[in-house]
Amino acid sequence: MLTIRDLKVSVEGNQILKGVNLEIKAGEVHAIMGPNGSGKSTLANALAGREDYQVDSGEVLYRGKNLLEMSPEDRAREGVFLAFQYPVEIPGVSNANFLKTALNEIREYRGLEKLDAMEFLTLVKERMQLVEMDPKLLNRSVNEGFSGGEKKRNEIFQLAVLEPALAIMDETDSGLDIDALKIVANGVNKLRSKDRSFLVITHYQRLLNYIVPDVVHVLVNGRIVESGGKDLALHLEEHGYDWIKNEREAPVTM
Amino acid sequence: MKEFSNNVDIKDWYISHFQAFENSLNGSSKAPFHQIRRSAIAKFADLGFPGRRDEEWKYTNLSPLLKHQFPVAARPTSLPAETVRQFVFKGLAENLLVFVNGRYSRELSNYRAPANGVIVDSLGNALKNRPEVIDRYLAKYAPFEKESFVALNTAFAVDGAFIYAPDNVAVEQPVHLLYISDASAGSHFASPRNLIVAGRNSQVKIVESYHGLGENPYFNNVVTEAAVNENARVDHIRIQDERLNAYHVYSLETHQQQNSVYWMVNVDMGGALVRNNLTLTLDAENCEGHLLGFYMANGKQHIDNHTAIDHAKPNCFSNELYKGILGGKAKGVFNGKIFVRRDAQKTNAYQNNKALLLSEEATINSKPQLEIFADDVKCSHGATVGQLDNEALFYLRSRGIPQEQANSILQYAFASEVFGHITIDSVREHLEEIIEERFARL
Amino acid sequence: MNKDQQSNDQQIIESRIKSEYKWGFTTDIETETVPSGLNEDIIRMISAKKNEPEWMLEWRLKAYRHWLKMAEPHWPNVHYDAIDYQDAYYYAAPKQEKRPESLDEVDPKLIETFNKLGISLEEQKLLAGVAVDAVMDSVSVATTFKDELRKLGIIFCSFSEAIREHPELVKKYIGFVVPPNDNFFAALNAAVFTDGSFCYIPKGVRCPMELSTYFRINAAKTGQFERTLIVAEEGAYVSYLEGCTAPMRDENQLHAAVVELVAHKNAQIKYSTVQNWYPGDEQGKGGIYNFVTKRGVCLEENSKISWTQVETGSAITWKYPSVILQGDNSIGEFYSVALTNNLQQADTGTKMIHVGKNTRSTIVSKGISAGRSNNSYRGLVKVHKGALNARNFSQCDSLLIGDKCGAHTFPYLEIQEKSAKVEHEATTSKIGEDQIFYCNQRGISTEDAIGLVVNGYCKEVFKELPMEFAVEAQKLLAISLEGSVG
């Protein structure tokens, strides 16, 4: 599904990712953990193609295609979905209108018929239940005046409607109370399938109690320094990141 | 047509006094600044006084001012110290420059400059003793080529305050500039001219206040220029509490360099006809400009505030809040411009102006305007006109506060949003007392 | 997104900005004109061609004599070369033997022209519920649904016809709201106006369909000077729409119209405009000068006038649809989207004049500037003494697209009444890169993202338009904006 080779990315002239390697197979859930400033969000944004994130070197193959050459919208149409850490507000544009436009763009790109208003509404109502979202939010402007939890739920709801092949979740748990976290995680779990992969970025292990990953990676100072099973996350929770820094950082930097 | 011909006559009246004024200067008419005075009077002759057809004077009729033939203020006799004392702000008696009819009074002033190169002096002395600073800064910012009142001031400018903070010096004590117009023996017009220069990384606080004595009408035409160098901060408070038959025109031009901050709090209470032209120019990156104003007018007072904040360079911030309370037959005018020039990306500019009309015959004309030529900016302005909030009034009364007191509590609350920004406690408290007393009279 | 993609976005935007004006064709039809230039003889000639009664001619001549004494105003924030009023034609009409009685008698080329513009003059093909008066150059070529409206007592016809058939109403109301000496362009219009629409809704009648006039300039070097007059008697309601286009020509053409609205007790008039005159080319060559005086009066209590406008065309737009709130409890509204691109200039807004008690007004203005254009909002809220409890709320937002354009806001608030409450808010913003990226990440292209955001920005105004017009307005905005965001 996704192969990242020696990816180096700079933001405003500072190199944040200093050679990331990662391989995600179809149907797998990978978690990336790491301390603040280690480059987790940079990785998410670089994969989504955000400007200001300058790829210095390395390559990213997504289903065999060079992801880095694609525009952000083509990445989305190819099935890469980023659940934003800070979803933006778009005043005046209704959630429904926004999502219908997005969905039909993606369907058109994939050679599918566009959905008419009725079909769209049926689909949307069904998917809203996944994240227990208030249907009223559909007619409100995108994320405008949403609470933190509503914004995050809205991201997962969009994920459910747009059905990407690779979903990147950038600190989706941040700012969520435990109930909202469970709802979001529950939604994600229902969306897991053998054709869909997830890259879950988080600072805390807690989310991974609910979304159980196949592989956990630890990102420190722009590099993945440790990979393992879900137990690695528990270990990190117990011992913090320092042991890895101490153990791993020294040899790597020598 | 009548008004127009009157404008011409009165213009000639002022021009005709220039010659005599020039002769009175004796030796100093050789100084380079005198050439500027000459250009200014020539320019004034071209410009004349503005009329109602001039968009900038649409709401202010100058004819009451122009019907007077005010003589140039002569060097006044001194005033008794106790007469002066009533106008001195609390805690500032030791940092005081006093001007009578626009001229510096050494015996009434009380200021000892700290030894670190700070200069607090009269402009008259500076014109004689410090030609290098004067030539560099004086008349470099206030546009006498375009503004007739600036031209008139420049032509007749001979005294005022000169404040200079050298690089890296923070002047701790606020400087109090006290202007008293004594019109007890007759009318006059004065042209106070102030120059503030804040060196790099310096700080200075200035409290300027205007008061009057006597029953005759008089005309104060003031210009203040402020050059604010990199990283400097200027706190500037002006309080205008002239006699109710005074004419007062005040022009401020600031020019800010990188990372500098200018705080202006402007309060108008007196004067028959008052016009302020306040322009902050943010001419380098990362500047901050704050302009806060409060005015109250009663009877037949006319108070006109024209403000402009000119964002010439990127990444600057400005905030303007202007509030007014109008009673009697008073007229208020507010015109607030925000310019964001082509280069001034990432500008943040906010403006808000609010007016309360307390009587049947009070009027407010308000024109907040935005002129934006850069796209990556956040600018907003708001304007409201109304009365005191009836619900709040009712709430206070239902708690047993009599209506009149409730009114003044709410008026006071309305004004305090501006006064809250005065950082010199003694000045704020002093002002609060005056205002409270004035509210009782509204 | 890397730098290449960024400049790619810029290109998309620029290519979209460069899209062609789609209504720029000309109709090859024989045109009847009067000689160029302006003098009393020309005015007599126009009046004679229209078989006008003597009083109408006198009214015109009086206006003309007044106009001669007036100076062209130059206070708006727009710039243009001097107009030579002697080098223009003041009357141009598609040549027709006589005024057609039915559509069969209308020159097929004219019907074809309006079809091409999407305006069918055949009633059965029309959108249900919209009656159209089609005006080409100086004259009305056809009015639909006249008979049906007649049954309700509604008069909807060309202005020329109204002068002939309903002189008492025209005499009573022409110049009632915009006197012939009101301003330079209103005086010029009064002297030389050639046609326009006339609507009269009698007491207690709710007009069952949208009335609309479609204005088309075709002939070269002519000015268009139409007049519209709408009178709603007590308790009447009417919704009126106006649309306009013109061919692409290199020289500027002047359009100086006058619109007068009169609402009596409990009456309501809703007036919507989608203005799409030719804006000139990318270099600012050609285009219409749209200098229009529009004013309504809420004459008696509980009346209401709403102006809604979507302004995308014209090289220069200069107009302030206004409401005089004379009757107690009357309501004035102004909703506007004004878009300028390339070298277009717009100085537009409204005046709300509060005279009666408990009068209310609302102003929502959305300016969009792109290219090298300049867009100004200029508005006046005036509360006269004695207009007890007058209320106004104004919101004026500007959206800038690109860094070569300008947005200006000049609100004037003149308040002489202490019980008045007036609130004005204005903001300036641009479309955020983070908003565009968010849309991109959901698969929406940059240009569609801009469309979404702009339409969202204008929603408050579009919702005031009749449905079919709202859809048209959205499309028009998308076309006018093509290629304008980076």
Side-chain angles (χ1 to χ4, degrees), chain C residues 245-470:
Chain C
T245 55
M248 294 159 68
R249 297 192 189 280
D250 283 350
E251 76 272 16
N252 299 107
Q253 283 174 282
L254 176 63
H255 171 247
V258 169
V259 177
E260 299 179 276
L261 312 182
V262 181
H264 287 276
K265 189 175 171 182
N266 295 327
Q268 189 181 342
I269 301 174
K270 200 172 154 54
Y271 192 106
S272 313
T273 304
V274 174
Q275 185 268 106
N276 187 26
W277 296 116
Y278 177 54
D281 69 8
E282 273 170 62
Q283 307 308 320
K285 199 168 185 195
I288 303 292
Y289 291 164
N290 190 36
F291 300 164
V292 173
T293 307
K294 291 182 168 179
R295 196 177 301 152
V297 60
C298 287
L299 202 55
E300 292 164 86
E301 63 263 39
N302 302 320
S303 50
K304 178 176 175 183
I305 290 179
S306 311
W307 297 101
T308 305
Q309 59 173 27
V310 177
E311 303 278 324
T312 60
S314 297
I316 304 178
T317 295
W318 178 8
K319 68 173 203 179
Y320 314 95
S322 307
V323 185
I324 300 168
L325 296 152
Q326 195 169 320
D328 292 349
N329 309 318
S330 56
I331 297 174
E333 294 175 336
F334 174 75
Y335 299 95
S336 169
V337 168
L339 180 149
T340 52
N341 199 349
N342 295 322
L343 285 165
Q344 281 177 277
Q345 307 173 59
D347 192 311
T348 183
T350 184
K351 295 181 197 175
M352 292 290 174
I353 315 290
H354 292 257
V355 183
K357 297 183 182 70
N358 302 315
T359 46
R360 280 183 286 151
S361 62
T362 305
I363 299 171
V364 177
S365 162
K366 302 278 184 176
I368 304 166
S369 325
R372 285 179 286 159
S373 68
N374 269 296
N375 200 328
S376 303
Y377 167 82
R378 187 185 303 275
L380 168 69
V381 175
K382 179 155 189 158
V383 180
H384 282 269
K385 198 163 176 48
L388 294 176
N389 300 317
R391 294 282 177 271
N392 162 266
F393 176 75
S394 310
Q395 178 167 351
C396 306
D397 297 328
S398 307
L399 189 66
L400 291 128
I401 301 179
D403 57 6
K404 297 183 191 74
C405 52
H408 314 264
T409 315
F410 306 98
Y412 295 69
L413 315 177
E414 302 182 3
I415 317 300
Q416 297 164 350
E417 171 54 52
K418 77 162 190 164
S419 61
K421 192 170 171 196
V422 174
E423 290 174 80
H424 172 94
E425 284 175 14
T427 63
T428 300
S429 57
K430 70 168 211 161
I431 297 178
E433 280 160 23
D434 50 349
Q435 290 175 332
I436 303 266
F437 178 69
Y438 191 79
C439 292
N440 285 163
Q441 214 301 310
R442 297 297 182 257
I444 300 168
S445 66
T446 300
E447 57 189 46
D448 288 348
I450 290 157
L452 272 179
V453 174
V454 168
N455 275 319
Y457 169 79
C458 299
K459 200 153 73 179
E460 276 169 274
V461 174
F462 288 161
K463 77 177 187 337
E464 298 296 324
L465 286 171
M467 180 75 108
E468 312 79 46
F469 255 43

Side-chain angles (χ1 to χ4, degrees), chain A residues 9 16-18 20 32-46 53 170-171 201 219-223:
Chain A
V9 175
I16 308 292
L17 296 185
K18 297 170 182 169
V20 169
I32 293 201
M33 301 185 68
N36 288 330
S38 58
K40 301 189 299 291
S41 282
T42 300
L43 177 61
N45 282 302
Y53 290 78
D170 188 5
E171 309 232 3
I201 291 170
L219 187 68
V220 175
N221 196 18
R223 290 189 183 88

